[in-house]
């Protein structure tokens, strides 16, 4: 034999070198990953690691991929000890075990004896081999050798751990851990690790979720544990765990929490493990509250709701309820209401007022008119079909008065408002021409998520950010991520304005110190009562509630304040009760350019010395409007006649303060039964030119300058109407220099007009006048 080796030594060495080169070429030649053709499940967890759901792969398997370096070393050692202790030393097959198995099975015929290595088991699964036949077994052996030449031991072991069978449609130890124990591999105890280690050898017989399978698994696990104790004697102190009952689940018992969020993330993120921002305990409490609320209000036709709770410090969604019942087809429960677009109603009015504050058009006590008004050919009403007359900006916002909001939107510009919404991330907006002034009263479609982004600006200094649903979302740079829609000062004042919106009865919510929690909130009701909204901020949180039907059905009970508002405050109470470690402080004025000034409690303007009552109002120096009160005027009265005069005579005249309201406001006071003391008339001997220098001139609001009146020749349908000061009675109308007629206070004069553009002069009986124009087409 020695002579043989000496004679053919060179040939033998050459053969070994050639084989080694071939093996090296095979090993390092570009090759796909072993599991390249496999698809995998995704596992979703709550923020604190509770399992929410495991999805199935494209071939309907529970198969969660774990890289080998993320599989605990203790699990790897347990599997190798039980399945293939020589794995790192053989070439894919174990010749000794193979010969022993052939002898036992075919020669001695003492029953089947296995000899498969982990590599052989892996190729059997990879290539779907029938290894019960001799041909199949031979094919398995050669494929195992081929796999070992092409891939490293770690590659093969990793593949095995991820496709080994575990009963049912479970493949891979990662999926088995999640399904049987609802735990990640990293969180398993030793007795749970050894349980999983013995299942793949006979997965259908040893299913631990079945009573018989559990008993068979225990027998196999006892054998493995005895081996384990010999190798790791220190583990004997854990023996008592192996005798304890185990809570083992089946695939049917897999959790199915937060389905809309999981579905959304499943379509967006290609990762095996996804940690959501969801607070599962609070999520389940919210879902239970919503179910009970709907049960209590089912007689009103309230069947569905969507809710989003966002922590504005992190911009993480802690609760997201897409619908009241995901599995209820009657309410189209699988639609995700957090992201579905619905008509906004008045919930966006907040940001019209924000722009008005930002642009110096108002402060909280600016007096706005809630009176009948034409906007082009549109004459809107309020939801109560009433007009409130003079109303402070704060009250107009809180009470969702339509006319003031539309007038402010006109002054701001619809395009400016839409640009704010775009900056905040509102998508699929149409043109300013499409919406017109109706944008102020809710014709814009938004989602619950988009409304939450907008309201987060109240707590984040006028900035909005994208809402996060995954804990490892990285915040982009400030210039890319932060979207400023208005200043910190405006955000603070808006919060304060909305915090004056009274809560429904029995909803005074207190913090852990016993103080009432400030809630800055706004409601909205869409056209035809299809959507009810409540949105607002408290502490560090923004909460948005939508109540309605995904089918778009109307319901006269879908009022924002009641249908959505009551649920809104129930959920806030739930947050406060379950966040006892948190403070729910309101924003403060620290480092803000804001001051408090005294304003007239009647007119809301900066108080003059004649205003009888004053109140405080937030004011942004250099921005907020500085208008002295024009309602309270100190006028000179003749003692004898009680009439107004313009010459002070000691002992014969005196000064007296009167309220001067525009005629349209006075008319509303009269309709409401409120008697206002009107200023007296001037004495007859006073010349008109001495009068006209004081008081306010008429304000023409009909006809409209931006409307072309298309009429039939001869029709008397051009309306003329103006507001006049409290001391005037009559308006005299001149069209293109010709007298057209006169109208009394609050009256409308109708005239005919030729085709073309016409100039108007409106003069009151105190010689004060105003100009306008209008266009007619026949």
């Amino acid at each position: 034999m020695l002579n043989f080796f000496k004679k053919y030594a060179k040939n033998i060495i050459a053969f070994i070198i050639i084989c080694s080169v071939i093996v090296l070429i095979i090993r390092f030649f570009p090759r796909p990953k072993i599991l390249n053709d496999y698809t995998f499940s995704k596992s979703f967890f709550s923020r604190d690691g509770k399992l929410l759901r495991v999805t199935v792969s494209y071939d309907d398997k529970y198969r969660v991929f774990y890289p080998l370096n993320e599989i605990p070393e203790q699990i790897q050692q347990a599997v190798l000890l039980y399945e293939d202790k020589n794995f790192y030393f053989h070439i894919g097959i174990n010749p000794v075990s193979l010969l022993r198995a052939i002898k036992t099975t075919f020669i001695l015929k003492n029953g089947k004896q296995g000899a498969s290595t982990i590599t052989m088991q892996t190729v059997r699964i990879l290539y779907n081999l029938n290894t019960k036949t001799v041909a199949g077994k031979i094919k398995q052996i050669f494929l195992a050798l081929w796999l070992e030449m092409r891939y490293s031991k770690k590659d093969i072991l990793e593949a095995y751990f991820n496709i080994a069978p575990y009963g049912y449609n479970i493949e891979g130890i990662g999926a088995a851990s999640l399904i049987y124990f609802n735990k990640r591999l990293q969180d398993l105890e030793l007795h749970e690790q050894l349980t999983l280690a013995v299942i793949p050898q006979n997965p259908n017989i040893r299913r631990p979720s079945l009573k018989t399978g559990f008993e068979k698994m225990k027998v196999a696990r006892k054998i493995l544990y005895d081996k384990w104790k010999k190798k790791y004697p220190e583990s004997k102190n854990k023996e008592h765990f192996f005798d304890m009952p185990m809570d083992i689940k089946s695939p049917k018992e897999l959790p199915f929490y937060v389905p809309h969020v999981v579905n959304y993330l499943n379509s967006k993120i290609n990762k095996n493990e996804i940690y959501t921002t969801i607070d599962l305990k609070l999520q389940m409490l919210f879902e239970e509250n919503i179910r009970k609320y709907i049960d209590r209000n089912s007689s009103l036709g309230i069947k569905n709701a969507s809710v989003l709770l966002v922590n504005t410090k992190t911009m993480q969604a802690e609760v997201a309820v897409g619908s009241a019942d995901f599995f209820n087809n009657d309410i189209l429960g699988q639609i995700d209401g957090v992201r579905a677009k619905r008509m906004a109603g008045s919930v966006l009015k907040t940001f019209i007022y924000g722009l008005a504050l930002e642009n110096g058009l108002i402060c909280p006590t600016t007096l706005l008119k809630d009176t009948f008004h034409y906007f082009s050919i549109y004459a809107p009403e309020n939801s109560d079909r009433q007009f409130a007359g003079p109303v402070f900006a704060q009250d107009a916002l809180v009470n969702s008065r339509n006319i003031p909001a539309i007038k402010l939107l006109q002054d701001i510009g619809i395009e400016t408002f839409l640009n704010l919404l775009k900056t905040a991330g509102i998508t699929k907006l149409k043109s300013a021409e499409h919406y017109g002034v109706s944008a102020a009263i809710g014709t814009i479609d938004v989602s619950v998520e988009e409304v939450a982004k907008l309201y987060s600006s109240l707590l984040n200094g006028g900035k909005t950010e994208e809402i996060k649903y995954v804990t490892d979302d990285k915040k982009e740079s400030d210039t890319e991520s932060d979207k400023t829609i208005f200043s910190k000062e405006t955000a603070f004042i808006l919060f304060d304005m909305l915090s004056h919106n009274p809560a429904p009865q029995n909803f005074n919510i207190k913090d852990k110190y016993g103080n009432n929690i400030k809630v800055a909130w706004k409601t909205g009701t869409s056209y035809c009562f299809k959507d009810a909204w409540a949105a607002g901020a408290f502490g560090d949180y923004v909460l948005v509630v939508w109540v309605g039907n995904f089918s778009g059905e109307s319901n006269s009970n879908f009022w924002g304040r009641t249908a959505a508002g009551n649920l809104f405050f129930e959920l806030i109470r739930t947050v406060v009760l379950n966040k006892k470690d948190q403070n729910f402080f309101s924003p403060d004025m620290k480092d803000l350019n804001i001051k408090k000034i005294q304003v007239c409690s009647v007119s809301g303007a900066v108080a003059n010395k004649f205003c009888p009552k004053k109140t405080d109002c937030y004011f942004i120096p250099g921005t907020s409007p500085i208008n002295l009160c024009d309602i309270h005027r100190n006028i000179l009265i003749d003692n004898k006649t009680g009439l107004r005069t313009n010459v002070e005579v000691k002992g014969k005249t005196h000064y007296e303060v009167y309220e001067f309201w525009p005629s349209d406001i006075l008319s509303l006071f009269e309709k409401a039964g409120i008697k206002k003391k009107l200023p007296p008339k001037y004495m007859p001997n006073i010349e008109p030119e001495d009068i006209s220098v004081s008081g306010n001139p008429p304000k023409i609001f009909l006809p409209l300058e931006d409307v072309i009146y298309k009429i039939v020749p001869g029709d008397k349908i051009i309306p003329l109407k103006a507001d006049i000061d409290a001391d005037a009675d009559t308006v005299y109308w001149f069209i293109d220099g010709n007298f057209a007629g006169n109208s009394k206070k609050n009256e409308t004069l109708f005239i005919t007009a030729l085709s073309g553009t016409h100039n108007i002069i409106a003069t009151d009986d105190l010689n004060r006048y105003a100009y306008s124009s209008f266009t007619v087409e026949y």
Side-chain angles (χ1 to χ4, degrees), residues 368-371 382 384 386-391 401 665 668-669 672:
L368 305 176
K369 286 185 181 181
D370 182 23
T371 60
N382 292 298
D384 59 5
Q386 302 291 323
F387 297 102
V391 58
R401 308 312 291 178
I665 301 296
L668 287 169
F669 282 142

Side-chain angles (χ1 to χ4, degrees), residues 651-694:
K652 295 184 178 182
T653 60
H654 69 279
Y655 282 98
E656 194 171 338
V657 176
Y658 281 86
E659 292 182 9
F660 283 71
W661 293 100
S663 57
D664 58 341
I665 301 296
L666 278 175
S667 174
L668 287 169
F669 282 142
E670 290 172 9
K671 289 178 181 177
I674 300 171
K675 295 292 184 182
K676 288 289 181 181
K677 185 180 177 183
L678 298 177
K681 303 294 180 184
Y682 276 97
M683 294 181 69
N685 62 338
I686 297 177
E687 296 294 330
E689 56 266 23
D690 295 328
I691 297 173
S692 62
V693 295
S694 65

Side-chain angles (χ1 to χ4, degrees), residues 286 289-290 292-293 296-297 507 509 543 565-575:
F286 266 45
N289 279 352
I290 291 167
K292 289 179 178 178
Y293 182 80
R296 292 197 308 271
N297 293 280
F507 278 111
I509 301 171
L543 177 66
N566 289 333
L567 178 58
F568 177 83
F569 275 91
E570 283 186 25
L571 296 176
I572 290 178
R573 178 180 288 164
T574 299
V575 174

Side-chain angles (χ1 to χ4, degrees), residues 525-536:
T525 305
S526 73
Y527 179 68
C528 288
F529 303 100
K530 293 185 178 183
D531 310 274
W533 294 85

